[in-house]
Amino acid sequence: MATFALIHGGGGSAWDWHLLEPELRDRGHDAVAVSLPIEDESAGLLDHADAVVEAVGGRRDLVVVAHSWGGFVGPLVCARTPADLLVLVTAMIPAPGEPPSDWWGNTGFGSKDMSDPIGLFLHDVPGDVAEELLTRSRDHADKAMGEPWPLDAWPDVPTRFLLCRDDRFFTPDFMRGVVRDRLGITPDEIDGSHAPMLARPKELADRLEGYLTGRS
């Protein structure tokens, strides 16, 4: 049995994982979804990581799963508590000393029309789930967005990247380049939008378990 620590993306909360958690538990695993202190003006990136470490407690056989902006937090968790695996799900990949606010320009992300968030991020998520997610969106305080990523190097933990083929925000071609340049690996791929935990929770759970059994 593994413990999956689930780290949400920008504006999110632990609720983002509510469809994935039972899928993982049905497979005999534990799942810990954490609401990061993204609205706390005093909370830096290490405080976000500490919130995850505290929620995990003494659980072992830890798999850290980080989505989107949570990619800035997941590696910090792995540097602060023993982890067997880090899985980045269509996530930002930080570089040493890089503030999250600089990631966009540093990677050549460009700009997106944000006027239709469901069409951009959630186009294959059930309508009622997508609408509720928008009502739960939270703002980001400035501190964790603007402070440098504090690690000197990537933590010594096996790392997989799961790319979403139908992601209209972090598009596949863009992310394949970022993964190659920053991690030096080839990403794994899954169908779906930027929110596979809400659109395809069973398939995502299968992929995560497959990393443990060697099927992925």
Side-chain angles (χ1 to χ4, degrees):
M1 183 188 81
T3 294
F4 289 87
L6 306 174
I7 304 172
H8 63 78
S13 68
W15 182 89
D16 297 4
W17 303 99
H18 77 284
L19 299 179
L20 180 68
E21 289 176 280
E23 292 287 348
L24 293 172
R25 293 188 179 117
D26 285 348
R27 290 161 174 77
H29 304 293
D30 194 6
V32 181
V34 182
S35 289
L36 301 175
I38 59 174
E39 296 172 296
D40 185 346
E41 292 289 351
S42 68
L45 290 169
L46 290 176
D47 296 309
H48 288 64
D50 286 344
V52 180
V53 172
E54 181 178 355
V56 168
R59 295 174 177 88
R60 313 303 293 178
D61 301 316
L62 184 64
V63 177
V64 177
V65 181
H67 175 243
S68 197
W69 187 86
F72 268 84
V73 179
L76 301 180
V77 174
C78 295
R80 296 174 88 77
T81 194
D84 294 337
L85 180 67
L86 170 61
V87 182
L88 301 172
V89 180
T90 189
M92 299 166 75
I93 304 169
E98 178 180 63
S101 58
D102 288 355
W103 185 90
W104 314 94
N106 291 345
T107 58
F109 176 76
S111 61
K112 298 283 184 181
D113 181 356
M114 305 291 284
S115 62
D116 178 14
I118 290 180
L120 184 60
F121 297 100
L122 308 167
H123 55 86
D124 61 347
V125 174
D128 58 336
V129 177
E131 292 290 350
E132 182 166 357
L133 178 67
L134 295 184
T135 69
R136 292 174 174 269
S137 181
R138 300 187 294 154
D139 292 331
H140 274 263
D142 291 337
K143 183 174 181 179
M145 299 295 282
E147 71 174 19
W149 195 62
L151 296 186
D152 295 328
W154 201 257
D156 184 18
V157 60
T159 301
R160 304 292 291 264
F161 192 100
L162 188 56
L163 176 153
C164 296
R165 297 190 189 98
D166 306 305
D167 194 337
R168 298 173 182 173
F169 186 62
F170 287 164
T171 57
D173 285 346
F174 168 73
M175 289 309 300
R176 290 184 190 109
V178 174
V179 174
R180 180 188 63 245
D181 294 345
R182 297 208 163 191
L183 293 178
I185 63 174
T186 299
D188 304 312
E189 302 193 7
I190 189 173
D191 291 336
S193 66
H194 192 67
M197 72 289 291
L198 294 172
R200 301 169 182 268
K202 182 180 185 302
E203 186 176 352
L204 180 56
D206 286 342
R207 296 298 293 266
L208 293 174
E209 186 176 51
Y211 287 137
L212 304 178
T213 62
R215 296 197 309 268
S216 294

